[in-house]
Amino acid sequence: GIQVEQSPPDLILQEGANSTLRCNFSDSVNNLQWFHQNPWGQLINLFYIPSGTKQNGRLSATTVATERYSLLYISSSQTTDSGVYFCAVRAGFQKLVFGTGTRLLVSP
Amino acid sequence: DAGITQSPRHKVTETGTPVTLRCHQTENHRYMYWYRQDPGHGLRLIHYSYGVKDTDKGEVSDGYSVSRSKTEDFLLTLESATSSQTSVYFCAISPGQFYSNQPQHFGDGTRLSIL
């Protein structure tokens, strides 16, 4: 089945710093989602981005489907950005495959 | 956010007992999913449903069964719980047209501990 790899596995930032999270996938996908799992365990939809670039406030994402990767950019990070960021790709009939996540800690 | 309610939110039970988790949606979405989340594995699909009484297995379906008698409810049952089923369980929904450009939205999770 399709493989999803995220890097880096862990990231520590000071408040105000910028960061880039990467998601590589092993096969053609129809769709890709980025999630933030906050410290309370909730999974928050960030982007639905099968291709192209989207921006939402301090966050933006770019997917280059032909090269099988997606990037999540976080600018001017805040402590509330802490948590785990997951990339998930859709392969086949409505089945979402998750990466193992990037754990982000933003310190004040 | 999508109207998804999972119940219970927390449960502690003993090995060998039956457990049923409920997912209720108010979005009238066709597709519903059950995932489990474990350290080092991300989220893995257990079962999913593509309509009332229509279900299929995911990648980690052994030891689990599901039922969907109404559009809004999707039940996950552990017939005889084992300690390896201790996990956080998430329900998700999507409108679900074939290859449609619609994301999945997740509930807040159920933390299940089996002693």
Side-chain angles (χ1 to χ4, degrees):
Chain A
I2 191 167
Q3 304 295 315
V4 183
E5 292 184 357
Q6 292 187 241
S7 60
D10 296 281
L11 188 57
I12 300 175
L13 300 174
Q14 284 230 303
E15 202 166 24
N18 302 327
S19 61
T20 300
L21 282 58
R22 186 176 181 101
C23 172
N24 291 333
F25 41 94
S26 61
D27 205 346
S28 299
V29 298
N30 294 302
N31 299 300
L32 186 145
Q33 290 181 246
W34 281 99
F35 296 90
H36 174 216
Q37 187 166 37
N38 62 25
W40 296 269
Q42 294 173 312
L43 276 167
I44 311 298
N45 275 302
L46 296 177
F47 294 102
Y48 182 84
I49 185 164
S51 64
T53 297
K54 290 186 178 179
Q55 180 149 10
N56 184 4
R58 297 180 296 103
L59 274 60
S60 64
T62 295
T63 296
V64 184
T66 54
E67 297 187 22
R68 299 181 184 171
Y69 73 89
S70 182
L71 302 174
L72 178 68
Y73 305 95
I74 304 174
S75 64
S76 304
S77 58
Q78 300 176 357
T79 56
T80 52
D81 294 331
S82 296
V84 183
Y85 289 81
F86 288 103
C87 164
V89 301
R90 182 173 299 162
F93 189 44
Q94 293 288 332
K95 296 183 181 182
L96 209 56
V97 177
F98 281 76
T100 53
T102 292
R103 186 175 302 275
L104 174 65
L105 176 63
V106 181
S107 57
Chain B
D1 276 345
I4 308 168
T5 304
Q6 291 187 231
S7 58
R9 293 295 316 280
H10 304 271
K11 186 172 182 67
V12 180
T13 190
E14 294 184 346
T15 299
T17 60
V19 177
T20 296
L21 308 182
R22 180 184 184 232
C23 178
H24 178 80
Q25 59 140 334
T26 57
E27 305 295 322
N28 200 35
H29 282 353
R30 179 182 177 190
Y31 278 81
M32 300 185 74
Y33 311 80
W34 278 108
Y35 293 86
R36 60 178 288 175
Q37 184 178 27
D38 304 291
H41 289 280
L43 277 80
R44 294 178 292 174
L45 181 66
I46 305 172
H47 281 280
Y48 68 100
S49 169
Y50 47 96
V52 173
K53 296 194 166 107
D54 292 323
T55 65
D56 204 352
K57 296 179 180 180
E59 60 181 309
V60 289
S61 59
D62 286 349
Y64 301 95
S65 63
V66 291
S67 65
R68 190 163 178 204
S69 58
K70 299 185 289 186
T71 298
E72 58 266 34
D73 289 326
F74 192 31
L75 304 181
L76 177 71
T77 297
L78 292 64
E79 300 288 349
S80 178
T82 67
S83 58
S84 64
Q85 294 175 311
T86 291
S87 187
V88 180
Y89 291 85
F90 285 94
C91 173
I93 65 173
S94 72
Q97 294 170 6
F98 191 80
Y99 289 139
S100 69
N101 289 331
Q102 297 292 334
Q104 291 186 19
H105 293 272
F106 284 75
D108 288 343
T110 293
R111 187 172 297 276
L112 177 63
S113 297
I114 300 165
L115 307 177

